[in-house]
Short mmCIF file of all heavy atoms in Angstrom, two decimals:
data_model
loop_
_atom_site.label_atom_id
_atom_site.label_comp_id
_atom_site.label_asym_id
_atom_site.label_seq_id
_atom_site.Cartn_x
_atom_site.Cartn_y
_atom_site.Cartn_z
N ARG U 204 -5.02 8.77 -22.23
CA ARG U 204 -3.65 8.27 -22.43
C ARG U 204 -3.63 6.84 -23.07
O ARG U 204 -2.85 6.61 -23.99
CB ARG U 204 -2.95 8.18 -21.08
CG ARG U 204 -1.45 7.70 -21.20
CD ARG U 204 -0.81 7.70 -19.89
NE ARG U 204 -1.27 6.71 -18.91
CZ ARG U 204 -0.86 5.47 -18.79
NH1 ARG U 204 0.03 4.99 -19.70
NH2 ARG U 204 -1.38 4.60 -17.96
N VAL U 205 -4.58 5.93 -22.75
CA VAL U 205 -4.51 4.63 -23.12
C VAL U 205 -5.42 4.27 -24.32
O VAL U 205 -5.26 3.23 -24.93
CB VAL U 205 -4.68 3.61 -21.94
CG1 VAL U 205 -3.78 3.94 -20.85
CG2 VAL U 205 -6.20 3.68 -21.47
N GLY U 206 -6.47 5.07 -24.51
CA GLY U 206 -7.35 4.82 -25.63
C GLY U 206 -8.00 3.43 -25.55
O GLY U 206 -8.51 3.05 -24.41
N ASP U 207 -7.99 2.64 -26.60
CA ASP U 207 -8.64 1.33 -26.63
C ASP U 207 -7.81 0.30 -25.87
O ASP U 207 -8.22 -0.92 -25.81
CB ASP U 207 -8.84 0.94 -28.09
CG ASP U 207 -9.83 1.83 -28.80
OD1 ASP U 207 -10.64 2.47 -28.11
OD2 ASP U 207 -9.76 1.89 -30.03
N GLN U 208 -6.65 0.64 -25.43
CA GLN U 208 -5.76 -0.34 -24.77
C GLN U 208 -6.03 -0.45 -23.21
O GLN U 208 -5.35 -1.08 -22.51
CB GLN U 208 -4.35 -0.02 -24.99
CG GLN U 208 -3.92 0.14 -26.41
CD GLN U 208 -4.26 -1.09 -27.20
OE1 GLN U 208 -3.96 -2.23 -26.81
NE2 GLN U 208 -4.95 -0.92 -28.32
N GLY U 209 -7.12 0.20 -22.78
CA GLY U 209 -7.45 0.22 -21.38
C GLY U 209 -8.47 -0.76 -20.92
O GLY U 209 -9.52 -0.97 -21.61
N ARG U 210 -8.24 -1.34 -19.79
CA ARG U 210 -9.23 -2.19 -19.15
C ARG U 210 -9.34 -1.78 -17.60
O ARG U 210 -8.38 -1.55 -17.00
CB ARG U 210 -8.86 -3.67 -19.22
CG ARG U 210 -8.61 -4.16 -20.60
CD ARG U 210 -9.83 -4.54 -21.36
NE ARG U 210 -10.46 -5.77 -20.74
CZ ARG U 210 -11.59 -6.33 -21.18
NH1 ARG U 210 -12.25 -5.76 -22.15
NH2 ARG U 210 -12.10 -7.38 -20.64
N VAL U 211 -10.57 -1.69 -17.15
CA VAL U 211 -10.80 -1.21 -15.83
C VAL U 211 -11.39 -2.30 -14.92
O VAL U 211 -12.24 -3.13 -15.42
CB VAL U 211 -11.73 0.05 -15.80
CG1 VAL U 211 -13.12 -0.28 -16.39
CG2 VAL U 211 -11.86 0.60 -14.43
N LEU U 212 -10.97 -2.36 -13.71
CA LEU U 212 -11.48 -3.29 -12.74
C LEU U 212 -13.02 -3.06 -12.60
O LEU U 212 -13.51 -2.01 -12.34
CB LEU U 212 -10.78 -3.14 -11.42
CG LEU U 212 -11.26 -4.02 -10.25
CD1 LEU U 212 -10.95 -5.48 -10.54
CD2 LEU U 212 -10.62 -3.60 -8.97
N SER U 213 -13.74 -4.17 -12.74
CA SER U 213 -15.25 -4.11 -12.68
C SER U 213 -15.73 -3.96 -11.23
O SER U 213 -15.10 -4.44 -10.27
CB SER U 213 -15.83 -5.30 -13.25
OG SER U 213 -17.25 -5.41 -13.03
N THR U 214 -16.79 -3.32 -11.02
CA THR U 214 -17.44 -3.26 -9.73
C THR U 214 -18.17 -4.55 -9.37
O THR U 214 -18.60 -4.62 -8.18
CB THR U 214 -18.48 -2.02 -9.62
OG1 THR U 214 -19.40 -2.25 -10.73
CG2 THR U 214 -17.79 -0.71 -9.77
N ASP U 215 -18.19 -5.44 -10.33
CA ASP U 215 -18.78 -6.76 -10.04
C ASP U 215 -17.68 -7.57 -9.28
O ASP U 215 -16.99 -8.41 -9.89
CB ASP U 215 -19.15 -7.46 -11.34
CG ASP U 215 -19.78 -8.77 -11.17
OD1 ASP U 215 -20.11 -9.19 -9.93
OD2 ASP U 215 -19.95 -9.54 -12.12
N THR U 216 -17.54 -7.31 -7.98
CA THR U 216 -16.47 -7.84 -7.16
C THR U 216 -16.94 -9.08 -6.41
O THR U 216 -16.09 -9.72 -5.75
CB THR U 216 -15.94 -6.82 -6.22
OG1 THR U 216 -17.02 -6.45 -5.32
CG2 THR U 216 -15.37 -5.62 -6.91
N GLY U 217 -18.20 -9.42 -6.42
CA GLY U 217 -18.75 -10.40 -5.58
C GLY U 217 -19.15 -9.87 -4.23
O GLY U 217 -19.67 -10.68 -3.33
N HIS U 218 -19.05 -8.52 -4.04
CA HIS U 218 -19.36 -7.92 -2.69
C HIS U 218 -20.25 -6.72 -2.98
O HIS U 218 -20.09 -6.03 -4.02
CB HIS U 218 -18.10 -7.54 -1.93
CG HIS U 218 -17.20 -8.68 -1.70
ND1 HIS U 218 -17.36 -9.56 -0.55
CD2 HIS U 218 -16.07 -9.15 -2.34
CE1 HIS U 218 -16.34 -10.43 -0.65
NE2 HIS U 218 -15.64 -10.19 -1.65
N THR U 219 -21.16 -6.40 -2.01
CA THR U 219 -21.99 -5.27 -2.18
C THR U 219 -21.38 -4.11 -1.43
O THR U 219 -21.35 -4.19 -0.19
CB THR U 219 -23.37 -5.61 -1.59
OG1 THR U 219 -23.96 -6.65 -2.28
CG2 THR U 219 -24.30 -4.36 -1.74
N ARG U 220 -20.90 -3.09 -2.08
CA ARG U 220 -20.29 -1.94 -1.48
C ARG U 220 -20.75 -0.72 -2.35
O ARG U 220 -21.04 -0.82 -3.57
CB ARG U 220 -18.83 -1.95 -1.51
CG ARG U 220 -18.19 -3.17 -0.76
CD ARG U 220 -18.34 -3.07 0.71
NE ARG U 220 -17.57 -4.09 1.43
CZ ARG U 220 -17.98 -5.30 1.64
NH1 ARG U 220 -19.19 -5.68 1.25
NH2 ARG U 220 -17.20 -6.18 2.33
N ASN U 221 -20.77 0.46 -1.64
CA ASN U 221 -21.03 1.64 -2.34
C ASN U 221 -19.73 2.24 -2.75
O ASN U 221 -19.02 2.95 -1.95
CB ASN U 221 -21.77 2.66 -1.40
CG ASN U 221 -22.08 4.01 -2.11
OD1 ASN U 221 -21.66 4.23 -3.27
ND2 ASN U 221 -22.81 4.88 -1.53
N TYR U 222 -19.24 1.95 -3.98
CA TYR U 222 -17.95 2.37 -4.44
C TYR U 222 -17.83 3.88 -4.76
O TYR U 222 -16.68 4.33 -5.04
CB TYR U 222 -17.57 1.52 -5.62
CG TYR U 222 -17.36 0.02 -5.28
CD1 TYR U 222 -18.04 -0.95 -5.94
CD2 TYR U 222 -16.49 -0.36 -4.25
CE1 TYR U 222 -17.88 -2.28 -5.58
CE2 TYR U 222 -16.27 -1.64 -3.89
CZ TYR U 222 -17.00 -2.67 -4.57
OH TYR U 222 -16.84 -3.93 -4.25
N ARG U 223 -18.94 4.60 -4.62
CA ARG U 223 -18.88 6.05 -4.83
C ARG U 223 -18.70 6.64 -3.43
O ARG U 223 -18.41 7.99 -3.40
CB ARG U 223 -20.06 6.56 -5.50
CG ARG U 223 -20.12 6.22 -6.97
CD ARG U 223 -20.41 7.50 -7.81
NE ARG U 223 -19.45 8.59 -7.52
CZ ARG U 223 -18.31 8.72 -8.11
NH1 ARG U 223 -17.91 7.89 -8.96
NH2 ARG U 223 -17.54 9.70 -7.81
N ARG U 224 -18.68 6.01 -2.39
CA ARG U 224 -18.52 6.59 -1.00
C ARG U 224 -17.29 5.95 -0.42
O ARG U 224 -17.07 4.81 -0.29
CB ARG U 224 -19.76 6.27 -0.17
CG ARG U 224 -19.66 6.96 1.21
CD ARG U 224 -20.88 6.61 2.04
NE ARG U 224 -20.90 5.16 2.38
CZ ARG U 224 -20.18 4.74 3.48
NH1 ARG U 224 -19.41 5.51 4.23
NH2 ARG U 224 -20.19 3.44 3.81
N SER U 225 -16.44 6.87 0.16
CA SER U 225 -15.31 6.39 0.89
C SER U 225 -15.62 6.13 2.35
O SER U 225 -16.32 7.01 2.99
CB SER U 225 -14.15 7.45 0.85
OG SER U 225 -13.13 7.16 1.80
N PRO U 226 -15.28 4.92 2.85
CA PRO U 226 -15.59 4.71 4.29
C PRO U 226 -14.69 5.48 5.27
O PRO U 226 -14.96 5.45 6.46
CB PRO U 226 -15.25 3.21 4.40
CG PRO U 226 -14.25 2.94 3.40
CD PRO U 226 -14.60 3.85 2.25
N TYR U 227 -13.81 6.37 4.70
CA TYR U 227 -12.87 7.12 5.53
C TYR U 227 -13.21 8.59 5.62
O TYR U 227 -12.45 9.37 6.16
CB TYR U 227 -11.46 6.90 5.07
CG TYR U 227 -11.10 5.38 5.18
CD1 TYR U 227 -11.28 4.63 4.08
CD2 TYR U 227 -10.53 5.00 6.36
CE1 TYR U 227 -10.94 3.24 4.18
CE2 TYR U 227 -10.23 3.61 6.44
CZ TYR U 227 -10.42 2.74 5.40
OH TYR U 227 -10.11 1.44 5.50
N GLY U 228 -14.33 9.05 5.07
CA GLY U 228 -14.79 10.39 5.13
C GLY U 228 -13.79 11.41 4.67
O GLY U 228 -13.17 11.24 3.60
N ASP U 229 -13.47 12.42 5.47
CA ASP U 229 -12.48 13.43 5.14
C ASP U 229 -11.05 13.13 5.61
O ASP U 229 -10.25 14.09 5.74
CB ASP U 229 -12.95 14.73 5.75
CG ASP U 229 -12.91 14.87 7.31
OD1 ASP U 229 -12.65 13.77 7.87
OD2 ASP U 229 -13.06 15.90 7.85
N TYR U 230 -10.74 11.89 5.89
CA TYR U 230 -9.46 11.50 6.41
C TYR U 230 -8.37 12.02 5.62
O TYR U 230 -7.35 12.38 6.17
CB TYR U 230 -9.41 10.00 6.60
CG TYR U 230 -8.08 9.41 7.06
CD1 TYR U 230 -7.75 9.40 8.39
CD2 TYR U 230 -7.08 8.95 6.15
CE1 TYR U 230 -6.64 8.93 8.81
CE2 TYR U 230 -5.91 8.48 6.58
CZ TYR U 230 -5.63 8.44 7.93
OH TYR U 230 -4.42 7.98 8.38
N ASP U 231 -8.48 11.99 4.27
CA ASP U 231 -7.40 12.47 3.38
C ASP U 231 -6.89 13.89 3.71
O ASP U 231 -5.78 14.24 3.38
CB ASP U 231 -7.84 12.43 1.92
CG ASP U 231 -7.87 10.99 1.33
OD1 ASP U 231 -7.74 10.07 2.16
OD2 ASP U 231 -8.07 10.85 0.17
N HIS U 232 -7.80 14.73 4.20
CA HIS U 232 -7.43 16.12 4.47
C HIS U 232 -7.24 16.47 5.92
O HIS U 232 -6.74 17.50 6.21
CB HIS U 232 -8.63 16.96 3.87
CG HIS U 232 -8.96 16.69 2.39
ND1 HIS U 232 -8.16 16.84 1.36
CD2 HIS U 232 -10.02 16.05 1.92
CE1 HIS U 232 -8.74 16.39 0.27
NE2 HIS U 232 -9.84 15.88 0.58
N SER U 233 -7.71 15.60 6.76
CA SER U 233 -7.65 15.94 8.22
C SER U 233 -6.27 15.69 8.75
O SER U 233 -5.44 14.95 8.14
CB SER U 233 -8.60 14.99 8.93
OG SER U 233 -8.39 15.02 10.39
N GLU U 234 -5.97 16.41 9.87
CA GLU U 234 -4.65 16.20 10.53
C GLU U 234 -4.66 14.89 11.37
O GLU U 234 -3.60 14.49 11.87
CB GLU U 234 -4.25 17.36 11.37
CG GLU U 234 -3.86 18.64 10.61
CD GLU U 234 -3.01 19.58 11.38
OE1 GLU U 234 -2.58 19.16 12.53
OE2 GLU U 234 -2.71 20.64 10.91
N ARG U 235 -5.84 14.30 11.51
CA ARG U 235 -5.93 13.12 12.40
C ARG U 235 -5.20 11.92 11.76
O ARG U 235 -5.27 11.62 10.54
CB ARG U 235 -7.38 12.71 12.50
CG ARG U 235 -8.23 13.69 13.41
CD ARG U 235 -9.73 13.29 13.29
NE ARG U 235 -10.27 13.37 11.91
CZ ARG U 235 -11.37 12.84 11.55
NH1 ARG U 235 -12.09 12.10 12.41
NH2 ARG U 235 -11.78 12.92 10.32
N ILE U 236 -4.45 11.21 12.63
CA ILE U 236 -3.90 9.91 12.28
C ILE U 236 -4.59 8.89 13.26
O ILE U 236 -4.40 9.06 14.51
CB ILE U 236 -2.38 9.96 12.48
CG1 ILE U 236 -1.82 10.91 11.48
CG2 ILE U 236 -1.81 8.52 12.03
CD1 ILE U 236 -0.29 11.16 11.62
N TYR U 237 -5.22 7.92 12.80
CA TYR U 237 -6.06 7.05 13.64
C TYR U 237 -5.22 6.18 14.54
O TYR U 237 -5.69 5.74 15.62
CB TYR U 237 -6.91 6.20 12.84
CG TYR U 237 -8.08 6.87 12.17
CD1 TYR U 237 -8.67 6.27 11.09
CD2 TYR U 237 -8.49 8.20 12.43
CE1 TYR U 237 -9.76 7.00 10.33
CE2 TYR U 237 -9.51 8.85 11.83
CZ TYR U 237 -10.08 8.23 10.70
OH TYR U 237 -11.12 8.90 10.01
N PHE U 238 -3.97 5.79 14.14
CA PHE U 238 -3.20 4.88 14.88
C PHE U 238 -1.76 5.42 15.13
O PHE U 238 -1.25 6.23 14.36
CB PHE U 238 -3.06 3.52 14.14
CG PHE U 238 -4.41 2.82 13.97
CD1 PHE U 238 -5.21 3.08 12.75
CD2 PHE U 238 -4.83 1.93 14.91
CE1 PHE U 238 -6.45 2.53 12.66
CE2 PHE U 238 -6.10 1.34 14.82
CZ PHE U 238 -6.84 1.61 13.63
N PRO U 239 -1.16 5.03 16.24
CA PRO U 239 0.18 5.57 16.63
C PRO U 239 1.27 5.19 15.56
O PRO U 239 1.17 4.07 15.00
CB PRO U 239 0.43 4.99 17.98
CG PRO U 239 -0.42 3.81 18.09
CD PRO U 239 -1.66 4.09 17.25
N VAL U 240 2.18 6.05 15.41
CA VAL U 240 3.33 5.65 14.56
C VAL U 240 4.66 5.91 15.37
O VAL U 240 4.64 6.69 16.31
CB VAL U 240 3.34 6.53 13.24
CG1 VAL U 240 2.12 6.27 12.38
CG2 VAL U 240 3.40 8.10 13.63
N SER U 241 5.74 5.31 14.97
CA SER U 241 6.86 5.28 15.66
C SER U 241 7.77 6.55 15.46
O SER U 241 8.60 6.87 16.39
CB SER U 241 7.84 4.14 15.29
OG SER U 241 8.05 4.04 13.92
N HIS U 242 7.63 7.28 14.41
CA HIS U 242 8.32 8.52 14.10
C HIS U 242 7.36 9.50 13.54
O HIS U 242 6.42 9.17 12.70
CB HIS U 242 9.50 8.32 13.21
CG HIS U 242 10.51 7.26 13.69
ND1 HIS U 242 10.44 5.96 13.39
CD2 HIS U 242 11.62 7.52 14.44
CE1 HIS U 242 11.49 5.35 13.95
NE2 HIS U 242 12.15 6.28 14.57
N SER U 243 7.47 10.76 13.88
CA SER U 243 6.63 11.80 13.33
C SER U 243 7.41 13.07 13.11
O SER U 243 8.46 13.35 13.71
CB SER U 243 5.43 12.11 14.23
OG SER U 243 5.84 12.55 15.56
N SER U 244 6.89 13.86 12.14
CA SER U 244 7.53 15.09 11.76
C SER U 244 6.46 16.14 11.39
O SER U 244 5.42 15.83 10.81
CB SER U 244 8.40 14.90 10.56
OG SER U 244 8.72 16.13 9.88
N ARG U 245 6.66 17.30 11.97
CA ARG U 245 5.74 18.41 11.55
C ARG U 245 6.26 19.28 10.44
O ARG U 245 5.76 20.43 10.30
CB ARG U 245 5.52 19.30 12.81
CG ARG U 245 4.89 18.51 13.99
CD ARG U 245 3.57 17.90 13.68
NE ARG U 245 2.54 18.86 13.41
CZ ARG U 245 1.30 18.62 13.12
NH1 ARG U 245 1.00 17.35 13.01
NH2 ARG U 245 0.40 19.51 12.82
N LEU U 246 7.21 18.87 9.64
CA LEU U 246 7.73 19.58 8.60
C LEU U 246 6.59 20.02 7.54
O LEU U 246 6.64 21.03 6.99
CB LEU U 246 8.83 18.81 7.88
CG LEU U 246 9.57 19.55 6.75
CD1 LEU U 246 10.30 20.86 7.24
CD2 LEU U 246 10.65 18.62 6.12
N PHE U 247 5.73 19.04 7.38
CA PHE U 247 4.56 19.26 6.53
C PHE U 247 3.30 18.80 7.26
O PHE U 247 3.36 18.02 8.19
CB PHE U 247 4.68 18.46 5.17
CG PHE U 247 5.83 18.86 4.40
CD1 PHE U 247 7.04 18.11 4.44
CD2 PHE U 247 5.81 19.98 3.56
CE1 PHE U 247 8.21 18.45 3.68
CE2 PHE U 247 7.04 20.43 2.84
CZ PHE U 247 8.14 19.58 2.87
N HIS U 248 2.12 19.16 6.72
CA HIS U 248 0.89 18.63 7.20
C HIS U 248 0.90 17.07 7.07
O HIS U 248 1.50 16.60 6.08
CB HIS U 248 -0.26 19.18 6.26
CG HIS U 248 -1.64 18.83 6.71
ND1 HIS U 248 -2.15 17.49 6.61
CD2 HIS U 248 -2.66 19.54 7.24
CE1 HIS U 248 -3.36 17.46 7.03
NE2 HIS U 248 -3.75 18.73 7.42
N PRO U 249 0.40 16.30 7.96
CA PRO U 249 0.62 14.91 7.93
C PRO U 249 0.09 14.24 6.59
O PRO U 249 0.69 13.22 6.20
CB PRO U 249 -0.29 14.39 9.13
CG PRO U 249 -0.30 15.49 10.07
CD PRO U 249 -0.28 16.73 9.22
N LYS U 250 -0.94 14.84 6.01
CA LYS U 250 -1.57 14.31 4.78
C LYS U 250 -1.06 14.94 3.56
O LYS U 250 -1.55 14.74 2.45
CB LYS U 250 -3.05 14.43 4.90
CG LYS U 250 -3.67 13.85 6.15
CD LYS U 250 -3.39 12.33 6.33
CE LYS U 250 -3.96 11.79 7.57
NZ LYS U 250 -5.38 12.05 7.85
N THR U 251 0.08 15.73 3.62
CA THR U 251 0.65 16.25 2.42
C THR U 251 1.11 15.05 1.59
O THR U 251 1.76 14.11 2.07
CB THR U 251 1.87 17.08 2.79
OG1 THR U 251 1.45 18.25 3.49
CG2 THR U 251 2.68 17.57 1.53
N TRP U 252 0.76 15.13 0.28
CA TRP U 252 1.27 14.07 -0.68
C TRP U 252 2.76 14.24 -0.95
O TRP U 252 3.20 15.33 -1.19
CB TRP U 252 0.46 14.16 -1.92
CG TRP U 252 -0.95 13.62 -1.79
CD1 TRP U 252 -2.06 14.44 -1.95
CD2 TRP U 252 -1.39 12.32 -1.58
NE1 TRP U 252 -3.19 13.59 -1.79
CE2 TRP U 252 -2.81 12.36 -1.62
CE3 TRP U 252 -0.71 11.04 -1.39
CZ2 TRP U 252 -3.51 11.12 -1.31
CZ3 TRP U 252 -1.46 9.92 -1.15
CH2 TRP U 252 -2.93 9.96 -1.14
N VAL U 253 3.44 13.09 -0.97
CA VAL U 253 4.86 13.03 -1.33
C VAL U 253 4.98 11.92 -2.32
O VAL U 253 4.23 10.97 -2.27
CB VAL U 253 5.85 13.00 -0.21
CG1 VAL U 253 5.58 14.13 0.83
CG2 VAL U 253 5.71 11.64 0.53
N LEU U 254 6.05 11.99 -3.11
CA LEU U 254 6.58 10.82 -3.80
C LEU U 254 7.89 10.40 -3.10
O LEU U 254 8.78 11.19 -2.92
CB LEU U 254 6.82 11.16 -5.25
CG LEU U 254 7.06 9.96 -6.19
CD1 LEU U 254 5.81 9.20 -6.45
CD2 LEU U 254 7.73 10.47 -7.58
N GLY U 255 7.92 9.09 -2.75
CA GLY U 255 9.10 8.65 -2.03
C GLY U 255 9.71 7.45 -2.83
O GLY U 255 9.13 6.65 -3.49
N TRP U 256 11.10 7.41 -2.66
CA TRP U 256 11.77 6.30 -3.32
C TRP U 256 13.10 6.02 -2.54
O TRP U 256 13.66 7.00 -1.98
CB TRP U 256 12.06 6.59 -4.72
CG TRP U 256 12.50 5.45 -5.60
CD1 TRP U 256 11.85 4.23 -5.72
CD2 TRP U 256 13.66 5.29 -6.37
NE1 TRP U 256 12.58 3.47 -6.52
CE2 TRP U 256 13.72 4.02 -6.93
CE3 TRP U 256 14.77 6.21 -6.65
CZ2 TRP U 256 14.69 3.54 -7.85
CZ3 TRP U 256 15.81 5.71 -7.52
CH2 TRP U 256 15.75 4.44 -8.05
N GLN U 257 13.63 4.87 -2.61
CA GLN U 257 14.94 4.49 -1.98
C GLN U 257 15.79 3.95 -3.11
O GLN U 257 15.35 3.24 -4.03
CB GLN U 257 14.76 3.33 -0.98
CG GLN U 257 14.14 3.82 0.29
CD GLN U 257 14.02 2.59 1.22
OE1 GLN U 257 13.17 1.74 1.08
NE2 GLN U 257 14.93 2.57 2.24
N HIS U 258 17.09 4.31 -3.05
CA HIS U 258 18.06 3.79 -3.94
C HIS U 258 19.44 3.79 -3.29
O HIS U 258 19.86 4.84 -2.71
CB HIS U 258 18.04 4.61 -5.23
CG HIS U 258 18.95 4.00 -6.26
ND1 HIS U 258 18.79 2.83 -6.84
CD2 HIS U 258 20.14 4.55 -6.84
CE1 HIS U 258 19.75 2.57 -7.74
NE2 HIS U 258 20.64 3.67 -7.69
N ASN U 259 20.16 2.75 -3.32
CA ASN U 259 21.51 2.66 -2.82
C ASN U 259 21.60 3.13 -1.33
O ASN U 259 22.52 3.86 -0.99
CB ASN U 259 22.51 3.48 -3.67
CG ASN U 259 22.87 2.71 -4.89
OD1 ASN U 259 22.64 1.48 -5.05
ND2 ASN U 259 23.47 3.41 -5.87
N GLY U 260 20.67 2.78 -0.58
CA GLY U 260 20.63 3.09 0.81
C GLY U 260 20.13 4.43 1.19
O GLY U 260 20.08 4.87 2.36
N GLU U 261 19.69 5.24 0.17
CA GLU U 261 19.26 6.57 0.44
C GLU U 261 17.71 6.69 0.23
O GLU U 261 17.18 6.11 -0.80
CB GLU U 261 19.93 7.64 -0.49
CG GLU U 261 19.51 9.04 -0.25
CD GLU U 261 20.14 10.07 -1.15
OE1 GLU U 261 21.20 9.72 -1.74
OE2 GLU U 261 19.72 11.24 -1.19
N ALA U 262 17.01 7.31 1.15
CA ALA U 262 15.64 7.48 0.99
C ALA U 262 15.37 9.03 0.68
O ALA U 262 16.02 9.85 1.35
CB ALA U 262 14.86 7.12 2.17
N ARG U 263 14.38 9.31 -0.24
CA ARG U 263 14.22 10.70 -0.59
C ARG U 263 12.69 10.88 -0.80
O ARG U 263 12.03 10.04 -1.24
CB ARG U 263 14.90 11.04 -1.87
CG ARG U 263 14.84 12.53 -2.22
CD ARG U 263 16.20 12.94 -2.88
NE ARG U 263 16.21 14.23 -3.40
CZ ARG U 263 16.61 15.34 -2.64
NH1 ARG U 263 16.76 15.21 -1.34
NH2 ARG U 263 16.62 16.55 -3.16
N ALA U 264 12.19 12.05 -0.42
CA ALA U 264 10.80 12.44 -0.60
C ALA U 264 10.70 13.68 -1.35
O ALA U 264 11.50 14.67 -1.18
CB ALA U 264 10.18 12.62 0.80
N TRP U 265 9.82 13.74 -2.34
CA TRP U 265 9.49 14.87 -3.13
C TRP U 265 8.09 15.35 -2.71
O TRP U 265 7.13 14.78 -3.33
CB TRP U 265 9.63 14.54 -4.61
CG TRP U 265 11.05 14.22 -5.09
CD1 TRP U 265 11.93 15.04 -5.52
CD2 TRP U 265 11.65 12.92 -5.22
NE1 TRP U 265 13.08 14.45 -5.90
CE2 TRP U 265 12.99 13.09 -5.68
CE3 TRP U 265 11.14 11.67 -4.90
CZ2 TRP U 265 13.79 12.06 -5.88
CZ3 TRP U 265 11.99 10.55 -5.14
CH2 TRP U 265 13.32 10.73 -5.54
N PRO U 266 7.95 16.31 -1.85
CA PRO U 266 6.66 16.83 -1.46
C PRO U 266 5.95 17.51 -2.68
O PRO U 266 6.60 18.26 -3.39
CB PRO U 266 6.93 17.76 -0.34
CG PRO U 266 8.30 17.41 0.15
CD PRO U 266 9.08 16.92 -1.10
N PHE U 267 4.70 17.24 -2.83
CA PHE U 267 3.98 17.85 -3.93
C PHE U 267 3.95 19.39 -3.89
O PHE U 267 4.01 19.96 -4.97
CB PHE U 267 2.52 17.23 -4.00
CG PHE U 267 2.58 15.75 -4.57
CD1 PHE U 267 3.74 15.14 -4.70
CD2 PHE U 267 1.36 15.13 -4.83
CE1 PHE U 267 3.72 13.78 -5.20
CE2 PHE U 267 1.33 13.87 -5.24
CZ PHE U 267 2.50 13.09 -5.41
N PRO U 268 3.81 19.98 -2.72
CA PRO U 268 3.87 21.50 -2.78
C PRO U 268 5.17 21.97 -3.37
O PRO U 268 5.25 23.01 -4.04
CB PRO U 268 3.68 21.79 -1.31
CG PRO U 268 2.94 20.74 -0.73
CD PRO U 268 3.43 19.50 -1.41
N GLU U 269 6.28 21.28 -3.03
CA GLU U 269 7.55 21.66 -3.57
C GLU U 269 7.66 21.52 -5.08
O GLU U 269 8.16 22.28 -5.82
CB GLU U 269 8.69 20.90 -2.85
CG GLU U 269 8.80 21.19 -1.37
CD GLU U 269 9.17 22.69 -1.06
OE1 GLU U 269 9.93 23.23 -1.84
OE2 GLU U 269 8.62 23.20 -0.11
N LEU U 270 7.12 20.27 -5.51
CA LEU U 270 7.11 20.11 -6.96
C LEU U 270 6.23 21.02 -7.68
O LEU U 270 6.58 21.42 -8.91
CB LEU U 270 6.58 18.60 -7.26
CG LEU U 270 7.53 17.49 -6.78
CD1 LEU U 270 6.86 16.14 -6.90
CD2 LEU U 270 8.84 17.57 -7.48
#
Side-chain angles (χ1 to χ4, degrees):
R204 180 176 71 85
V205 304
D207 295 336
Q208 305 304 310
R210 305 278 291 178
V211 60
L212 179 64
S213 170
T214 55
D215 183 9
T216 61
H218 302 274
T219 302
R220 301 287 190 276
N221 181 356
Y222 293 124
R223 285 232 55 85
R224 183 183 70 84
S225 169
Y227 298 91
D229 67 348
Y230 176 82
D231 284 9
H232 310 288
S233 167
E234 289 204 7
R235 291 173 297 166
I236 300 173
Y237 292 160
F238 296 89
V240 295
S241 56
H242 300 90
S243 60
S244 164
R245 301 300 297 179
L246 184 61
F247 300 99
H248 185 290
K250 306 297 176 52
T251 295
W252 288 111
V253 304
L254 190 72
W256 195 55
Q257 288 180 285
H258 183 65
N259 281 346
E261 182 180 348
R263 189 147 174 81
W265 293 273
F267 287 6
E269 298 295 324
L270 291 176

